[in-house]
Structures are given as structure tokens and as C-alpha cells.
Amino acid sequence: MALTDEAIERIKEMIVKGELRPGDRLPKEVDLAERLGLSRNSLREAVKALSLIRVLDVRQGDGTYVTSLQPEVLLDTVGFVLDFHRDDSVLALLEVRRILEPAATAMAAQHMTDAEIVQLGELLVSMENAKDLNQMIETDLEFHRRIAVGSGNPVLASLIDSLSAPTLRARIWRGLTEEGATDRTQEQHRAIHQALASRQAEVARSWAAVHVAGVEDWLRRAL
């Protein structure tokens, strides 16, 4: 079990046993890490993941709280995050995305305007300078959305957009649990942008395929 998954499992146990109830504030990071026998880094990543799906609420300058959801809903949500990567449907959706997105990226190299490509580069800078995980995810989604729209084919763009939400959790979870995944993602984004800027459609297609295949490969290994 990955360290982040283990940390989440420990927090789940605290909810199951009633040690943490909706509305409760989590103990200080250093105290909770020692209590659970975890590193502070693992605990911190677990809190990030759980706050992303709104099981925990991180209040700047105040602390981290269990949300006011019903306990059974909380447990279902945590269980979903722990078990989602065993769902073959996510893998099937990633396979479809691997087919469609490289094609859209190659088309975008031919159809996007110079101004749109410049704006895409500015979005990359925002992504790399993101202050938190939520901001990084938002800019990541927008990066892919703009490329799909830039293909010039609204039907293809709509299909790709429909695959974004169902595969988002897998992409987030990989970024949280696989060492170096975020850095590789940013490198691939830069390579895609450079290929678009130089109007190299087949290079853009290849980098997009590598980019999507990375998540798919991680999920296959997780399965």
C-alpha cells in the first residue's frame, strides 16, 4: 500500500471508530502523525487528497476539520477513493482518451491561432506556479480543453471533454502517490506546447499519446 493510501486508511479508521466525527477538528499535524505512526509528509498528502473530495475542510489559519457530511456518506466517499483504481471502466475511458486526444492535438497544431498558442503557454506558466493542488488541477483541465477546442472539431472536443471528469480522480491520485509524476506531467505539457508552437502536428500527436498513456500505464499497474 502506498504511504498516502495508508495515511488515508488510518484517517478512515478514526472515522469508523468514532474518534473523528463530522465537524471535528483534526489534531495538530505533528501530533496526529506521531499518533498514527506516519511521516508528516504522508499525512499532509492524505489531507490534500481528502480535502479535494471534501471529506476534510482545510481552513487557512484555523485548522483541518471533518466536513459536516453524514458519517455513512463520508465512509462511502473515502472507500471510493481507495477502491476507484480497481474499476476497469476508468481504464477503458483512458484507452478512449488515448485514441482521441492525440488526434485532436495534431489537428490543433494546424488550426490554433498564434495568439491561442501564446495563451496556452501563459496557462502553462500559471500551472507550474500554482499555489495549491486545486489551482493546478483547474489549469490542467483548461490546458487540455483549449487544445481540444483548438482542433477545430466541436464534436471531437465535446467527446474529449466528456472523458475529463470520469478520469480526473485517476490523474489526481497518480499525481499524489507516484513520485515524480507531477514533474513529468509538466515536462510533457511543455513538449506538447512546443510542438504546437512549431506547427509539428505529428510531434504534438506523439507527445499527447505519451502524456495520456502515462496515466493509463500507472492505472494498469495499480490494477
Side-chain angles (χ1 to χ4, degrees):
M1 180 183 293
L3 291 178
T4 302
D5 286 349
E6 182 181 355
I8 288 177
E9 180 63 28
R10 297 292 182 85
I11 294 174
K12 176 183 176 181
E13 288 176 2
M14 293 180 72
I15 297 173
V16 170
K17 294 177 180 178
E19 297 175 41
L20 286 176
R21 299 180 181 277
D24 282 355
R25 179 178 176 176
L26 266 64
K28 291 182 179 180
E29 183 182 271
V30 62
D31 296 334
L32 185 57
E34 183 177 354
R35 175 179 173 182
L36 298 179
L38 300 166
S39 71
R40 294 178 65 178
N41 186 60
S42 297
L43 179 61
R44 194 174 299 125
E45 293 303 317
V47 169
K48 283 183 183 178
L50 292 174
S51 65
L52 190 65
I53 59 169
R54 292 168 177 76
V55 171
L56 298 178
D57 179 20
V58 180
R59 304 175 189 174
Q60 199 66 32
D62 186 17
T64 300
Y65 293 79
V66 179
T67 60
S68 58
L69 297 174
Q70 293 297 316
E72 62 268 24
V73 177
L74 280 172
L75 297 179
D76 287 344
T77 307
V78 175
F80 172 74
V81 173
L82 292 172
D83 298 336
F84 84 93
H85 48 70
R86 290 196 286 271
D87 185 354
D88 290 345
S89 66
V90 178
L91 187 57
L93 289 169
L94 283 169
E95 289 175 343
V96 175
R97 185 175 171 229
R98 175 168 48 83
I99 294 169
L100 297 181
E101 197 156 336
T105 306
M107 293 167 67
Q110 299 172 325
H111 293 287
M112 289 184 77
T113 67
D114 291 342
E116 288 171 336
I117 293 175
V118 168
Q119 291 169 359
L120 196 66
E122 293 171 350
L123 194 64
L124 272 183
V125 174
S126 297
M127 191 186 310
E128 293 172 358
N129 294 331
K131 296 179 180 179
D132 56 46
L133 186 60
N134 286 328
Q135 184 181 355
M136 187 180 73
I137 291 167
E138 288 175 6
T139 50
D140 181 281
L141 291 173
E142 181 64 12
F143 178 81
H144 288 281
R145 188 195 69 80
R146 290 192 190 187
I147 292 175
V149 171
S151 70
N153 187 316
V155 175
L156 180 57
S158 179
L159 287 171
I160 291 173
D161 186 59
S162 70
L163 296 172
S164 182
T167 60
L168 178 60
R169 286 186 176 89
R171 290 146 62 191
I172 294 170
W173 208 245
R174 180 202 179 204
L176 287 171
T177 60
E178 184 178 55
E179 184 177 357
T182 299
D183 290 338
R184 285 194 297 275
T185 294
Q186 292 177 347
E187 289 173 3
Q188 290 161 7
H189 282 162
R190 288 193 292 269
I192 291 169
H193 177 256
Q194 180 57 45
L196 292 173
S198 58
R199 305 296 180 179
Q200 295 179 291
E202 291 309 310
V203 175
R205 183 197 304 272
S206 297
W207 274 114
V210 168
H211 183 55
V212 179
V215 183
E216 183 185 341
D217 177 66
W218 168 81
L219 184 55
R220 285 185 185 281
R221 285 185 278 112
L223 287 171

